[in-house]
Amino acid sequence: MVAAKPRAQRPGATRTNDPERTKADILAVASQEFAESGYSGGRVDEIAERTKTSKRMIYYYFGSKDGLYQAVLLEYYAKLRGAEAELHLEGQPPLQAIQRLIEFTYDWHITHADGVRLVMVENIHRARHLSALPSIEPVNSKVIQLVESMLARGVTEGVIRKGVNALDFYLSIAALCYFSVSNRYTINAIFGYDMGASENFAARRGAILEMLLRSIAP
Amino acid sequence: MVAAKPRAQRPGATRTNDPERTKADILAVASQEFAESGYSGGRVDEIAERTKTSKRMIYYYFGSKDGLYQAVLLEYYAKLRGAEAELHLEGQPPLQAIQRLIEFTYDWHITHADGVRLVMVENIHRARHLSALPSIEPVNSKVIQLVESMLARGVTEGVIRKGVNALDFYLSIAALCYFSVSNRYTINAIFGYDMGASENFAARRGAILEMLLRSIAP
Amino acid sequence: MVAAKPRAQRPGATRTNDPERTKADILAVASQEFAESGYSGGRVDEIAERTKTSKRMIYYYFGSKDGLYQAVLLEYYAKLRGAEAELHLEGQPPLQAIQRLIEFTYDWHITHADGVRLVMVENIHRARHLSALPSIEPVNSKVIQLVESMLARGVTEGVIRKGVNALDFYLSIAALCYFSVSNRYTINAIFGYDMGASENFAARRGAILEMLLRSIAP
Amino acid sequence: MVAAKPRAQRPGATRTNDPERTKADILAVASQEFAESGYSGGRVDEIAERTKTSKRMIYYYFGSKDGLYQAVLLEYYAKLRGAEAELHLEGQPPLQAIQRLIEFTYDWHITHADGVRLVMVENIHRARHLSALPSIEPVNSKVIQLVESMLARGVTEGVIRKGVNALDFYLSIAALCYFSVSNRYTINAIFGYDMGASENFAARRGAILEMLLRSIAP
DNA sequence: CATGAATGAGGATTCATTCAT
DNA sequence: TATGAATGAATCCTCATTCAT
C-alpha cells in the first residue's frame, strides 16, 4: 500500500540471546532519552526504535516506563558512587584530598551532563522514583563522613579552620560543580556566558576551587 | 442548515470580561502546573480545570501550550528582575551590598521554589523557549555589572581582595542559593538532609553567606 | 507506579490479526468518507466508527489523516489503471478500439462516482496529495500513447481523419465522461436534468460516443 | 499584557456606514476562501481576518457560514448568467452564434477558475446549498432554449446536421470547457500536461471548438 | 525469548458561533 | 452598527501498554 510505516521492527533484528547485553543496550538508550526529554517527555517508542531489540523487550525486562526510568537512575548513581570509591582519598593529606574531591566532582559533572540532567528530572519529580527504589544502597554515599574526617585532620594539622560543617561544605562543592552543567542554558541565554563551553572549563574550575579552599582556610 | 449551537455557559462560570484578570489567572495556574510537572508533563486540561475560565481561553490568549509556557517563563523572570532592581544596592557600602545580594538571592530562591523548578524545566529543554522569546529584555539582568562595581569599590576600600571575577562570583552565589531548592529532593533521598526544610533555612543561609564572604576577604 | 492499564477490547471487536484485511477495510471506508465529504470534511472519527477496527489503527497503518487520504487516492488510481490495462485495445481495429475506450471510460466513471468525487476533491487541493505520493507510477497512464497509435492506424486505414491530436482527443473523452458524474448535481439543480439517473445513462453515453466519433471521422 | 481597549464608538461616528460595500467586501473574500479550501476547509476566522470588517459582521449580514457560502454561490451564478445574457446570440447566424457561445464558455471558465472551484465544491455537497437557495431564478439559464433555436435554424439553413440534441450539445460544451480548469491539477500530475497554462490556452480552445463544430456538421 | 498487531484513554488544538457592551 | 471576549463540541493525533503467536 502506501507510506504505512507501523513502527515495524527492523527486519534483520539479530536475536542477541544475551540478556545482559540487551538490558545494557536498552538502558544506555533510555538514559539518553530521559536525559534529553525528561520522564514525561521521554518516549518508550523512541527508546525501542533506537535499541537493537523490540519494544516488547523493554517491558519484558523492566516492566514499565517507570521501571525503566528507575533502572536508569540506579545505574547512574551506582556509576557515580563507584567512581567516588576509586578516588582513595583516605590516605592522602587533607588539603590535597579535598582538592582532589573538588576537582573530581567538577570533572564528573562536566563529563556526565546526561547524569546531571537525570538528576534535574528526578528533582522535578521530587525524587519520587529514587525513593521508590527497592535498594538505595548503591545510591548512598559515604562522602560526607569522608569529608568530615578530612576536615578534622586538616584542623588538627592546622591547615583548615575550625567550625566548617562537613555536610555544608560538601553541599557547596556539589552545588558549584552541578550548577555549571545544570544551568548552562538559561545562564547562557541571560548572561551570554556558556559555562559548559570547553574554553571556559578551566577558568570556572579554578574559580570554584579557589573559592572553596579559601572558605576553609584558617 | 448544519447548525452547531453552543450551549449555555458553565453553571457557575462568571463571565469576567476582564482580559487582564483572565490572563493573569491562567498564567498563575499554568505556572504552578509547569513547575510541578514540567513542560511535557504539564497538562493543558489540568490548567484549564483549575482556572476560572475554559481551556478554549488558554488558546485564545496564548495560542498554544508552548506560548503559554513561554508567557509563564517571561513572567517569572520579569518578577525576579523587578525584585532585583528594588534592592537599590548601588548606594550601600560594598560588603553590606554584597551580603544583601546574597541574602536576597537565597531568600528569593527559597520562597520561589516554583520559579526554580521552571528554570530546571527550561534547562532540560536547553532554554529553547527562553531563547525563542520575542523580547528577552525583561529577562536580561544588570546584576553582573552591579557586582563588578561593588567588588571594585571593595578592593579600593581594602575590604575585598583583588582578583575576584564578578561573573564567577555571581555564578557562585546563584549556584549555592539555587541548589538548595533545586536539588532538595535527591539530596534528601541520598544524605537524609532536607535543605528545603524550614528548620534548616537559617543554617544553610549562614553557611553560604560565610563561605562566599570568606572567599572574597582580603 | 503510574500504571495506566487499557481495558478489555470492545465487546464485539474481533481481533483480526490480519493486517491486509484491516488495512483494506479502513481504506474502503475512508474512500467513501472522503468521497462523500471531501478531505477537510471527512472525519477520522467517522471512518473509525464504520470500520471493524479502532481509530488507533488508522494512525498505526496510515500515520495521519493525510496519509490515509493519499492511500485512498493511490488505490483509486491503481484500480483505474489496472482496469484500463485489462482492455487489451492494441490488437483491435482502430475505430473499434476507440469506441471501446470511450465506452469503458464512460462506464467506469458512471460506476465509480466515488472515484470521480475523490478526483474533484484532489483538484480542489491542487493535486497536492497526488504529487506528494512517494510512488506515482501506478497513477501514470500509458493511455495517451495507446490513443496515438490507434489514431495513426486509423489514419492509415482511412477511417480516421488526419490531424487529430491524441492528447486533446483523450482529454475530450475524459472531460465528457467525467462531467456526467462530477457535475450531476449542479446541472440537475439548474437545468432539471439528471445526468446520473440510470434512465439517462444510455442516451448520454450514445451522444458522447457519436460526438467523439464524428469529430474524428475523415 | 496590553493596554485596555477603547470604548465602543458613539452611534453615528465616523464609520463605513456602507452596508453594501461591507457585504461586497466580505463576499469577495469569502468567495476566494471557499474556492481555495472548499466549504469545510474554508475558515470563517480566515475570512474575517482578510476582511475590512469583523467576524461579527459576517454573522450579522449572512447569518452563518452556510448563509455566507450560499451568498457566494448565488453571486457567482448571477454573474455568469449576466455575462451569458450580454452575448446577444439571438440575432447572429447559427454557426457563428454557436462558435461564439463555445468560445465564451471556454474563456469564462479559464478566467473564472475560482468559480469553477466553487462549482466543484458544490457538487461535492450534492448541490445541497444551491438547492436550498430561496430563489434560484438568478441561477436558472435560458441557454438550452437558445442552443435549441440556433441548432434548429442551422438545420433549416443546412449548415448543421439533423438530430443534434440541444441539451446534450450544451452539456458537451460545458464539459469540455469546464474540465480544462477543474481537472487541471490531476491531469498535470498524471500526464504532465498543464491545461491551465497560458501557453496551452489557444491550442486547447481550438481543439475543443473544432471537435464541437465537426460533431454537428451536416 | 521474541515479535508484530492491536488498543483505551487521554492530549493538544480548532471551529463556528454567541454574548456583553 | 460594531467589536473583543468567550465558549461547547468536536477534531486530529499520541502514548504506554497488552495480546496472539
Side-chain angles (χ1 to χ4, degrees):
Chain A
M1 253 139 205
V2 97
K5 35 179 163 159
R7 293 175 210 285
Q9 298 176 220
R10 283 198 308 274
T14 43
R15 192 187 169 102
T16 331
N17 261 353
D18 182 346
E20 289 315 309
R21 265 199 61 181
T22 301
K23 279 168 79 171
D25 179 30
I26 293 172
L27 228 39
V29 173
S31 181
Q32 268 187 24
E33 174 76 6
F34 287 128
E36 189 56 43
S37 312
Y39 177 73
S40 308
R43 299 289 170 245
V44 176
D45 271 330
E46 187 70 17
I47 293 168
E49 203 148 299
R50 296 216 303 264
T51 287
K52 284 184 194 64
T53 53
S54 75
K55 181 161 52 163
R56 189 63 191 79
M57 285 297 92
I58 293 174
Y59 284 90
Y60 185 77
Y61 284 122
F62 300 97
S64 66
K65 183 184 183 179
D66 227 85
L68 176 57
Y69 177 75
Q70 282 190 354
V72 164
L73 264 186
L74 188 61
E75 194 203 27
Y76 170 68
Y77 276 109
K79 219 163 48 184
L80 170 56
R81 294 316 162 209
E84 262 178 27
E86 297 270 303
L87 286 175
H88 303 302
L89 301 175
E90 292 86 353
Q92 299 176 34
L95 271 186
Q96 187 181 319
I98 283 175
Q99 175 164 349
R100 184 78 199 87
L101 177 62
I102 294 170
E103 290 172 344
F104 163 79
T105 304
Y106 183 83
D107 294 347
W108 171 272
H109 283 96
I110 286 288
T111 54
H112 291 79
D114 272 4
V116 172
R117 297 170 70 83
L118 287 174
V119 174
M120 293 166 73
V121 168
E122 186 56 8
N123 273 295
I124 284 289
H125 291 271
R126 303 187 191 275
R128 175 160 52 93
H129 309 91
L130 202 56
S131 307
L133 235 38
S135 71
I136 27 171
E137 261 183 75
V139 169
N140 279 325
S141 173
K142 279 132 200 155
V143 76
I144 304 297
Q145 292 91 313
L146 201 68
V147 170
E148 204 151 33
S149 82
M150 292 189 294
L151 288 173
R153 273 201 286 140
V155 171
T156 307
E157 296 178 18
V159 295
I160 291 177
R161 70 176 170 93
K162 271 186 68 174
V164 179
N165 177 275
L167 181 57
D168 264 322
F169 187 57
Y170 180 72
L171 290 179
S172 296
I173 296 175
L176 291 164
C177 295
Y178 176 93
F179 190 79
S180 289
V181 181
S182 71
N183 286 41
R184 173 180 183 181
Y185 299 100
T186 53
I187 289 293
N188 194 19
I190 295 166
F191 298 109
Y193 176 72
D194 186 353
M195 300 186 290
S198 54
E199 66 263 29
N200 295 324
F201 279 8
R204 183 75 194 136
R205 194 179 190 251
I208 288 172
L209 185 61
E210 180 170 16
M211 150 164 294
L212 285 165
L213 291 182
R214 274 183 186 273
S215 77
I216 59 170
Chain B
M1 189 145 246
V2 198
K5 49 194 70 162
R7 295 298 147 68
Q9 291 163 234
R10 274 213 318 271
T14 44
R15 190 185 170 102
T16 332
N17 254 25
D18 180 348
E20 293 312 313
R21 263 198 60 182
T22 302
K23 278 156 89 171
D25 179 29
I26 292 172
L27 226 40
V29 174
S31 182
Q32 268 186 25
E33 172 78 5
F34 286 129
E36 189 56 41
S37 311
Y39 178 72
S40 310
R43 299 289 170 240
V44 177
D45 272 325
E46 188 65 27
I47 294 169
E49 205 144 297
R50 297 214 302 265
T51 286
K52 284 186 196 64
T53 51
S54 71
K55 179 164 52 158
R56 187 61 192 77
M57 292 315 288
I58 294 174
Y59 285 89
Y60 183 67
Y61 282 120
F62 300 98
S64 65
K65 184 181 180 178
D66 227 86
L68 176 57
Y69 177 75
Q70 280 192 355
V72 163
L73 265 186
L74 188 61
E75 195 202 26
Y76 170 69
Y77 276 108
K79 219 162 49 183
L80 169 55
R81 294 315 161 208
E84 261 179 26
E86 297 270 302
L87 286 176
H88 303 300
L89 301 175
E90 292 86 352
Q92 301 175 35
L95 270 187
Q96 187 182 319
I98 283 175
Q99 176 165 348
R100 183 79 201 86
L101 176 63
I102 295 170
E103 289 171 345
F104 162 78
T105 305
Y106 183 83
D107 294 347
W108 172 273
H109 284 95
I110 285 289
T111 53
H112 291 80
D114 271 5
V116 171
R117 298 169 70 82
L118 286 174
V119 174
M120 294 167 73
V121 168
E122 185 56 6
N123 272 295
I124 284 288
H125 290 271
R126 302 186 191 275
R128 176 162 50 92
H129 309 91
L130 200 56
S131 307
L133 235 39
S135 67
I136 27 172
E137 263 184 74
V139 168
N140 282 323
S141 173
K142 278 135 198 153
V143 77
I144 304 296
Q145 293 92 308
L146 202 67
V147 170
E148 204 152 33
S149 82
M150 292 189 295
L151 289 173
R153 272 199 289 139
V155 171
T156 307
E157 298 178 15
V159 296
I160 292 176
R161 72 176 169 92
K162 271 186 66 171
V164 179
N165 177 276
L167 181 58
D168 264 320
F169 187 58
Y170 180 72
L171 290 179
S172 296
I173 296 174
L176 290 164
C177 296
Y178 175 92
F179 189 79
S180 289
V181 181
S182 72
N183 286 41
R184 172 179 184 182
Y185 299 100
T186 54
I187 289 293
N188 194 21
I190 294 166
F191 298 109
Y193 176 72
D194 186 351
M195 301 186 288
S198 55
E199 65 265 30
N200 295 324
F201 279 8
R204 183 77 195 134
R205 192 179 192 252
I208 289 172
L209 186 60
E210 179 168 18
M211 150 164 294
L212 285 165
L213 292 182
R214 275 185 186 274
S215 78
I216 60 169
Chain C
M1 189 142 242
V2 198
K5 51 194 67 165
R7 296 299 148 67
Q9 293 163 233
R10 274 214 319 269
T14 43
R15 191 189 171 99
T16 331
N17 254 25
D18 180 347
E20 292 313 313
R21 262 198 62 182
T22 302
K23 280 155 88 171
D25 179 28
I26 293 172
L27 226 39
V29 174
S31 181
Q32 270 185 26
E33 173 78 5
F34 286 128
E36 189 56 42
S37 312
Y39 178 72
S40 309
R43 300 291 171 237
V44 176
D45 273 326
E46 187 65 27
I47 294 169
E49 205 145 299
R50 296 215 302 265
T51 286
K52 283 185 195 63
T53 51
S54 71
K55 179 164 52 162
R56 187 61 192 77
M57 292 315 288
I58 293 175
Y59 286 90
Y60 183 67
Y61 281 120
F62 300 98
S64 65
K65 185 182 180 179
D66 225 86
L68 177 57
Y69 176 75
Q70 281 191 356
V72 163
L73 264 187
L74 187 61
E75 195 202 27
Y76 169 69
Y77 276 108
K79 221 163 47 184
L80 169 57
R81 293 317 160 208
E84 259 179 29
E86 296 271 302
L87 287 176
H88 302 302
L89 301 175
E90 292 88 351
Q92 300 175 34
L95 271 186
Q96 187 182 319
I98 284 176
Q99 175 164 350
R100 184 79 200 85
L101 176 63
I102 295 170
E103 289 171 347
F104 162 79
T105 305
Y106 184 83
D107 294 347
W108 172 272
H109 283 95
I110 286 289
T111 54
H112 291 81
D114 272 5
V116 171
R117 296 170 71 84
L118 286 174
V119 173
M120 293 166 72
V121 168
E122 186 56 7
N123 273 295
I124 284 289
H125 291 271
R126 301 186 193 274
R128 175 161 51 93
H129 309 91
L130 199 57
S131 306
L133 233 39
S135 65
I136 25 170
E137 268 183 64
V139 168
N140 283 322
S141 174
K142 278 135 198 153
V143 75
I144 304 296
Q145 291 90 312
L146 201 69
V147 170
E148 204 152 32
S149 81
M150 292 188 294
L151 289 174
R153 273 200 287 142
V155 171
T156 306
E157 296 178 18
V159 296
I160 292 175
R161 71 176 170 93
K162 272 184 68 171
V164 179
N165 178 275
L167 180 59
D168 264 320
F169 186 58
Y170 180 71
L171 290 179
S172 296
I173 295 174
L176 291 164
C177 296
Y178 175 93
F179 189 79
S180 290
V181 181
S182 71
N183 286 40
R184 173 180 180 180
Y185 299 99
T186 52
I187 289 293
N188 194 20
I190 295 166
F191 297 109
Y193 176 72
D194 186 353
M195 299 186 288
S198 56
E199 65 264 31
N200 295 324
F201 279 7
R204 183 76 193 135
R205 192 180 193 250
I208 289 172
L209 185 61
E210 179 170 16
M211 149 164 296
L212 285 165
L213 291 182
R214 274 184 186 273
S215 78
I216 59 170
Chain D
M1 292 169 195
V2 204
K5 35 109 205 249
R7 312 250 77 159
Q9 292 166 242
R10 273 180 41 216
T14 47
R15 228 179 297 144
T16 326
N17 261 351
D18 183 347
E20 289 315 309
R21 264 198 62 180
T22 302
K23 280 168 79 171
D25 179 30
I26 293 173
L27 226 40
V29 173
S31 180
Q32 267 187 25
E33 173 78 4
F34 287 128
E36 189 56 41
S37 312
Y39 177 73
S40 309
R43 300 288 170 244
V44 176
D45 272 328
E46 187 69 17
I47 293 168
E49 203 147 299
R50 295 216 303 264
T51 286
K52 285 186 193 62
T53 54
S54 76
K55 182 159 55 162
R56 189 62 191 80
M57 284 298 94
I58 294 174
Y59 284 90
Y60 184 77
Y61 284 123
F62 300 98
S64 65
K65 184 183 183 180
D66 228 86
L68 177 56
Y69 177 75
Q70 282 189 354
V72 163
L73 263 187
L74 188 61
E75 194 202 26
Y76 169 69
Y77 276 110
K79 217 163 50 182
L80 170 57
R81 293 317 161 208
E84 261 177 26
E86 297 271 302
L87 285 175
H88 303 301
L89 301 175
E90 291 87 352
Q92 299 175 35
L95 271 187
Q96 187 182 317
I98 284 174
Q99 175 165 348
R100 185 77 201 87
L101 176 62
I102 295 170
E103 289 172 346
F104 162 79
T105 305
Y106 183 83
D107 294 347
W108 172 271
H109 283 96
I110 285 288
T111 54
H112 291 80
D114 271 6
V116 171
R117 296 169 70 83
L118 287 174
V119 173
M120 292 166 74
V121 167
E122 186 56 7
N123 272 295
I124 284 289
H125 290 271
R126 301 186 192 275
R128 176 161 53 94
H129 309 90
L130 201 56
S131 307
L133 236 38
S135 71
I136 28 171
E137 260 184 76
V139 169
N140 281 324
S141 172
K142 278 132 200 154
V143 75
I144 303 296
Q145 293 91 312
L146 201 68
V147 171
E148 204 153 31
S149 82
M150 291 188 295
L151 288 174
R153 272 199 287 139
V155 171
T156 307
E157 297 178 17
V159 295
I160 292 176
R161 72 176 168 93
K162 271 186 69 174
V164 179
N165 176 275
L167 180 59
D168 263 320
F169 187 59
Y170 181 71
L171 290 179
S172 295
I173 295 174
L176 290 165
C177 295
Y178 175 92
F179 189 79
S180 288
V181 181
S182 71
N183 286 41
R184 173 179 181 181
Y185 299 99
T186 53
I187 289 293
N188 195 19
I190 295 167
F191 297 108
Y193 176 73
D194 186 352
M195 300 185 290
S198 56
E199 66 263 31
N200 295 324
F201 280 6
R204 183 78 194 133
R205 190 179 193 252
I208 288 172
L209 185 61
E210 179 170 17
M211 151 166 293
L212 285 165
L213 292 183
R214 274 184 187 272
S215 77
I216 58 170

